[in-house]
Amino acid sequence: MPDGYVAVIGSLNYDVLMKQERLPLKGETYVADTVFYEGGGKGANQAVQCAKLGVPTYMVGKVGNDNFGDILLEKLEGFGVHTEHVGRSDKDTGLGVVHVLGDGSVYASIITGANGDFGPEDLKKMEAVVSASRIVVLQLEIPVPVVEQVICMASRHGVYSILNAAPAKAIGREALEKVDCLVVNESEASFYAGETINDEKTAISHFEKLTALTGGTVIVTLGENGSLLCKGQDHVVVPVAKVEDVVETTGAGDSYIGAFAYGKYMGKTDEEACRFAAKVAAVTVTKVGAQGAMPLLEEVELF
Ligand SMILES: Nc1ncnc2c1ncn2[C@@H]1O[C@H](COP(=O)(O)OP(=O)(O)O)[C@@H](O)[C@H]1O
Ligand SMILES: [Mg+2]
């Protein structure tokens, strides 16, 4: 295995998921059917996928000084993610409350809490972690200025950076140009391209707007329609890995990105890493949930 590690710099959330037939009416206390408590946050999810595939993975982020924070760290360690660079904040641990209705529709609210609490001291510590890493992975569930500074740090230290620009937000031009690989889904791609991108055809017709933005590699994931790997004026369609029994697609994007980071760490080309990531994400959608559904390397090899 190569030297160094993957550092995922991002969010950690404690998710409470309730399955219920419908939403309560105003003033009503509705009795839900079941509840699941899960570790979440795009950052933590991507770290879990990467660690489950077997590369050394460090989570860098913030949780609160509360029980939810303790539980999240315990869960991450259980999946093999190193947590010594997760700091504690006076703010509450990030929280998600998700209602999944009988027809499959999802209503979610989140508290940013500790995920929004980064000061100059935290950035100083991050520089040490980033400079010794091989790959850094970022998303936009922590403050954008932090993400921008980490991208610039990575570039300064010659560390490969992957930015999953989700949820889509305005990012400074300098940081975007320094990112080695930008990963967006259809709705995020639409935000950055300023055009509606909702399938392979529209993604292909507008991909040069995205590559012009970063000057580097852009991956557009298209859900059940696969993904598109774009570089300059070239693009490659990466088909979805077909699975019969799709159960739930939450975490598909995070699984894909964690697996792409693994691929790059192992020295695969972008295209090889995308094909591998598509396979990994396909296994994830055959199970309920995100972190728990993500496969180990053995399970991917069996697939
Ligand atoms: N139903 C599916 N069957 C197989 N693979 C899937 C399915 N849905 C998503 N994937 C894989 O996961 C990747 C990421 O999914 P996508 O929905 O685009 O991400 P996000 O969760 O960020 O919206 C896709 O590019 C595809 O490779
Ligand atoms: Mg999607």
Side-chain angles (χ1 to χ4, degrees):
M1 197 176 283
D3 286 342
Y5 50 80
V6 175
V8 180
I9 297 162
S11 56
L12 302 97
N13 280 343
Y14 187 89
D15 287 340
V16 180
L17 290 105
M18 281 188 240
K19 296 228 159 146
Q20 57 201 76
E21 230 6 79
R22 62 168 175 84
L23 286 176
L25 304 172
K26 185 176 178 184
E28 181 191 17
T29 301
Y30 185 78
V31 179
D33 299 323
T34 46
V35 64
F36 299 92
Y37 303 99
E38 282 210 62
K42 291 179 195 298
N45 289 349
Q46 293 171 19
V48 165
Q49 181 62 85
C50 200
K52 278 187 158 185
L53 293 169
V55 298
T57 307
Y58 285 79
M59 181 73 210
V60 183
K62 282 287 192 77
V63 293
N65 268 309
D66 48 27
N67 291 340
F68 287 155
D70 297 343
I71 296 169
L72 288 184
L73 297 189
E74 215 171 275
K75 280 181 189 283
L76 282 182
E77 283 157 21
F79 289 123
V81 178
H82 297 281
T83 60
E84 55 261 49
H85 300 308
V86 179
R88 295 280 186 163
S89 162
D90 294 335
K91 302 240 165 79
D92 296 322
T93 295
L95 182 80
V97 176
V98 186
H99 302 277
V100 183
L101 305 193
D103 64 358
S105 52
V106 174
Y107 292 81
S109 309
I110 64 162
I111 291 287
T112 301
N115 292 310
D117 183 25
F118 292 89
E121 269 309 301
D122 295 307
L123 275 153
K124 221 191 266 167
K125 285 188 203 152
M126 275 183 207
E127 179 127 25
V129 180
V130 167
S131 64
S133 62
R134 194 179 172 82
I135 293 179
V136 299
V137 183
L138 298 135
Q139 317 75 29
L140 298 179
E141 287 184 336
I142 60 171
V144 173
V146 174
V147 173
E148 291 169 339
Q149 289 180 66
V150 173
I151 291 167
C152 294
M153 271 177 212
S155 160
R156 239 183 356 260
H157 292 286
V159 172
Y160 185 89
S161 60
I162 300 170
L163 171 63
N164 171 216
K169 289 174 187 169
I171 312 167
R173 175 123 213 135
E174 187 195 351
L176 263 186
E177 282 172 357
K178 285 185 171 151
V179 162
D180 291 295
C181 180
L182 176 73
V183 188
V184 286
N185 72 5
E186 308 94 317
S187 67
E188 294 135 17
S190 306
F191 176 90
Y192 292 107
E195 304 277 357
T196 302
I197 293 178
N198 49 19
D199 56 13
E200 188 184 306
K201 194 163 156 269
T202 47
I204 290 174
S205 60
H206 300 303
F207 81 87
E208 285 177 54
K209 293 205 175 75
L210 294 169
T211 53
L213 223 60
T214 67
T217 303
V218 179
I219 298 168
V220 184
T221 67
L222 302 160
E224 60 187 4
N225 296 312
S227 53
L228 187 72
L229 166 65
C230 317
K231 206 169 216 165
Q233 260 123 63
D234 297 327
H235 68 272
V236 183
V237 174
V238 178
V240 79
K242 279 255 177 288
V243 275
E244 300 281 295
D245 43 347
V246 175
V247 174
E248 198 212 14
T249 61
T250 49
D254 292 336
S255 176
Y256 185 103
I257 291 157
F260 180 80
Y262 162 89
K264 293 306 291 177
Y265 182 89
M266 297 305 284
K268 292 180 193 284
T269 64
D270 289 347
E271 189 176 337
E272 287 164 352
C274 284
R275 289 186 195 279
F276 176 76
K279 215 164 135 179
V280 174
V283 181
T284 298
V285 303
T286 63
K287 292 187 195 148
V288 180
Q291 297 182 3
M294 293 170 177
L296 300 168
L297 188 60
E298 299 90 271
E299 296 170 73
V300 183
E301 282 163 351
L302 280 176
F303 171 73

